């Protein structure tokens, strides 16, 4: 089965080469192996996206690749290569992707060895994972980063973990997804207590709206809005990669303007 998964990885890399219209081919390697672009240009900023299969990552990837100095590693979970391959085939906005700046690796975020191989040599680590074990996987990322010397992490948690959402939206959100709040709270705490340079993002109900506009709230402030577009997360993360110190060691709510109410628009 592992051979089949690796084959999917090679297919993804091959498509990246075609989409970018380059002749030197994409570099799909095992986690931790040096990439050609990194060797050729030591000024490249090495960024790894853990959970690159997800819907939010689809909005982050093309915006990161707008930056010519970013060398991007996509950490894909096992068995999900084919999904990403089919997505890339449909996504015309990926056509400007430079294949010598994209490295596809496969692994399991629950396995420390996989994370260490993937994170070694990276400048910025971005986690877009979710799930009931998100706190444990985030702790694994932090441990791997410390062991290989990576220093900056961007973690996506969730709004509501401090009961900071305005009422009555807070009560509605708690009824709907309150079981996730302790896990997302622990995830944020893992980043804050890591000793690394971190940025925690707390989106609320995610939408596929194309807007990149967003508003921020700091930890301790009452949250604003009921929705967060994935596109706005993509833009914020890409801008943060340009200047990682701008929001270093901050825990931020991120949402759309003019979405206040008792619940997101889709549920009214």
């Amino acid at each position: 089965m592992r051979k089949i998964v690796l084959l999917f990885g090679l297919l993804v890399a091959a498509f990246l080469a075609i989409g970018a219209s380059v002749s030197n081919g994409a570099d799909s390697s095992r986690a931790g192996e040096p990439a050609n672009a990194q060797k050729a240009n030591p000024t490249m900023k090495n960024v790894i996206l853990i959970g690159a299969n997800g819907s939010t990552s689809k909005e982050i990837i093309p915006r990161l690749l707008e930056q010519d100095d970013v060398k991007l590693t996509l950490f894909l979970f096992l068995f999900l290569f084919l999904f990403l391959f089919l997505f890339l085939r449909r996504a015309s906005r990926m056509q400007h992707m430079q294949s010598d700046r994209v490295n596809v690796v496969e692994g399991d975020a629950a396995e420390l060895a996989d994370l260490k191989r993937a994170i070694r040599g990276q400048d910025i680590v971005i986690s877009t994972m979710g799930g009931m074990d998100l706190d444990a996987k985030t702790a694994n990322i932090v441990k791997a980063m410390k062991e290989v010397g990576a220093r900056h992490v961007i973690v996506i948690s969730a709004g509501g973990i401090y009961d900071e959402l305005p009422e009555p939206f807070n009560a509605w959100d708690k009824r709907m997804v309150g079981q996730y709040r302790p896990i997302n709270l622990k995830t944020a705490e893992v980043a804050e207590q890591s000793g690394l340079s971190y940025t925690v993002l707390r989106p609320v109900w995610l939408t596929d709206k194309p807007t990149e506009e967003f508003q921020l709230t700091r930890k301790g402030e009452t949250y604003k809005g009921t929705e967060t577009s994935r596109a706005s997360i993509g833009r914020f993360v890409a801008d943060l990669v340009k200047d990682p110190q701008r929001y270093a060691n901050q825990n931020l709510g991120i949402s759309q303007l003019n979405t206040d109410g008792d619940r997101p628009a889709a549920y009214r």
Side-chain angles (χ1 to χ4, degrees):
M1 180 61 71
R2 194 173 183 87
K3 291 181 179 179
I4 295 174
V5 171
L6 289 173
L7 177 59
F8 284 151
L10 293 173
L11 289 173
V12 172
F15 177 76
L16 295 180
I18 294 170
S21 299
V22 294
S23 60
N24 58 341
D27 175 28
S28 177
S29 66
R30 289 190 59 81
E33 292 180 357
N36 291 335
Q38 183 177 348
K39 290 179 179 179
N41 186 355
T43 66
M44 295 292 281
K45 187 180 296 180
N46 296 308
V47 179
I48 183 169
L49 182 57
I50 299 177
N53 318 80
S55 297
T56 299
S57 291
K58 295 172 191 175
E59 300 294 339
I60 294 173
I61 292 169
R63 291 170 173 85
L64 282 178
L65 290 172
E66 293 170 357
Q67 302 174 41
D68 293 337
D69 63 343
V70 166
K71 169 70 173 70
L72 182 60
T73 295
L74 304 179
F75 186 95
L76 310 181
F77 300 143
L78 296 175
F79 312 120
L80 293 175
F81 280 105
L82 184 57
F83 173 81
L84 184 66
F85 173 72
L86 294 175
F87 163 72
L88 291 176
R89 187 168 185 172
R90 292 194 303 267
S92 60
R93 65 183 160 191
M94 306 297 280
Q95 65 184 342
H96 301 301
M97 184 182 287
Q98 296 296 316
S99 67
D100 61 347
R101 294 197 292 121
V102 178
N103 187 34
V104 179
V105 301
E106 54 86 17
D108 184 346
E111 295 293 332
L112 183 63
D114 286 358
L115 288 171
K116 286 171 65 177
R117 281 193 297 268
I119 293 173
R120 183 173 286 110
Q122 302 294 335
D123 300 304
I124 300 173
V125 178
I126 304 166
S127 169
T128 63
M129 297 184 297
M132 296 300 289
D133 60 348
L134 177 60
D135 53 343
K137 288 181 177 177
T138 303
N140 244 9
I141 290 173
V142 166
K143 185 175 182 180
M145 290 179 65
K146 288 183 173 181
E147 292 190 14
V148 301
R151 298 305 307 163
H152 193 100
V153 63
I154 301 169
V155 173
I156 295 181
S157 176
I161 59 176
Y162 307 111
D163 274 324
E164 79 278 23
L165 307 183
E167 295 293 357
F169 174 47
N170 184 62
W172 179 88
D173 179 85
K174 200 169 191 176
R175 289 196 304 271
M176 296 292 286
V177 292
Q179 69 273 24
Y180 293 100
R181 286 190 175 186
I183 294 128
N184 285 310
L185 173 60
K186 181 61 177 176
T187 297
E189 290 174 344
V190 166
E192 290 175 322
Q193 298 167 12
S194 66
L196 302 170
S197 177
Y198 70 86
T199 303
V200 173
L201 279 183
R202 288 178 283 114
V204 277
W205 289 75
L206 296 171
T207 75
D208 292 322
K209 295 177 181 178
T211 178
E212 294 187 352
E213 294 183 353
F214 57 83
Q215 58 187 346
L216 300 176
T217 51
R218 268 72 176 177
K219 183 178 179 180
E221 296 179 344
T222 301
Y223 205 96
K224 298 177 181 177
T226 62
E227 301 176 8
T228 308
S229 75
R230 292 183 174 90
S232 69
I233 295 176
R235 176 53 57 202
F236 179 86
V237 169
D239 289 347
L240 188 57
V241 166
K242 287 181 182 178
D243 183 10
Q245 295 307 312
R246 182 176 181 184
Y247 294 106
N249 303 324
Q250 293 193 42
N251 183 327
L252 303 168
I254 180 170
S255 62
Q256 258 60 68
L257 295 164
N258 304 316
T259 61
D260 298 313
D262 62 345
R263 64 193 67 191
Y267 293 85
R268 294 174 191 166

